[in-house]
Amino acid sequence: MPEAQMSEAQRSDMERSEAPIPDDIPSLLIPMKGRPWLIPNIVVAEVITLRQPDRPGHGPEWLLGWINWREQDLPLISFEKLNDSGPVTIGPEARIAVINTVTGQSRFYAVVVQGIPRLLRVNKGDPVEEPGDTGPAEALYVQVGGDLAVIPDLDAVERAVAGLNS
């Protein structure tokens, strides 16, 4: 289609898809029970103090309950249980990470994490894939800056969360 016949939205989408990939991505290394998560920092809306769920969860074992955050009910999940990688673990430094969704099924969900995330800038060539069998909610094992980490499969997590009813 000639550019003159494109709508403004189509031109905007085309410009976004042609945007250069940044040299580095501000990311977070989030302590988990096993390997820490490596995710772009824009994925995390907020890290809050660990607290008991406001309402119990009825459903899958990985649903720990529901918390109220900024006037919204969010499912609080155990990534380890969702990923079939071990029991629910609540360590002494545990927190709750509120995660932005990307699919739009719901806006946020909450995950128990084992400490305060560490900010790091990840360059294009930094992450080196590590061999290993990933779980159902893991995309890839990597080594970055001397740290072993996992890139979670956030689409898989969101698909699981989307099936919940508050």
Side-chain angles (χ1 to χ4, degrees):
M1 174 183 305
E3 192 167 332
Q5 294 177 345
M6 287 184 182
S7 71
E8 189 172 323
Q10 288 171 320
R11 277 192 295 278
S12 177
D13 285 346
M14 191 170 121
E15 289 169 6
R16 274 196 301 269
S17 67
E18 294 174 1
I21 297 173
D23 288 335
D24 59 11
I25 298 172
S27 301
L28 293 172
L29 204 56
I30 301 178
M32 301 298 280
K33 179 184 169 235
R35 287 186 181 204
W37 276 10
L38 176 65
I39 57 175
N41 69 351
I42 197 164
V43 171
V44 177
E46 187 174 357
V47 176
I48 59 177
T49 305
L50 182 69
R51 65 178 197 235
Q52 289 292 324
D54 300 315
R55 291 186 295 124
H58 300 290
E61 206 175 355
W62 47 263
L63 175 62
L64 303 178
W66 295 83
I67 63 169
N68 189 279
W69 176 77
R70 296 186 184 179
E71 314 273 329
Q72 298 178 65
D73 284 333
L74 306 181
L76 176 62
I77 68 169
S78 164
F79 178 77
E80 290 79 15
K81 285 306 251 184
L82 177 64
N83 194 49
D84 297 329
S85 59
V88 175
T89 302
I90 309 289
E93 301 295 318
R95 307 272 193 280
I96 294 172
V98 177
I99 306 295
N100 291 302
T101 63
V102 293
T103 61
Q105 300 274 347
S106 59
R107 293 192 54 210
F108 305 98
Y109 58 93
V111 179
V112 174
V113 300
Q114 298 303 315
I116 298 171
R118 182 175 55 136
L119 183 64
L120 72 148
R121 297 192 81 75
V122 177
N123 294 318
K124 287 180 192 178
D126 276 351
V128 176
E129 184 175 353
E130 289 284 316
D133 294 330
T134 58
E138 295 172 327
L140 192 64
Y141 292 137
V142 295
Q143 183 172 357
V144 62
D147 291 303
L148 296 175
V150 63
I151 297 175
D153 183 346
L154 296 177
D155 289 337
V157 176
E158 288 180 33
R159 280 192 301 275
V161 169
L164 300 173
N165 295 317
S166 62

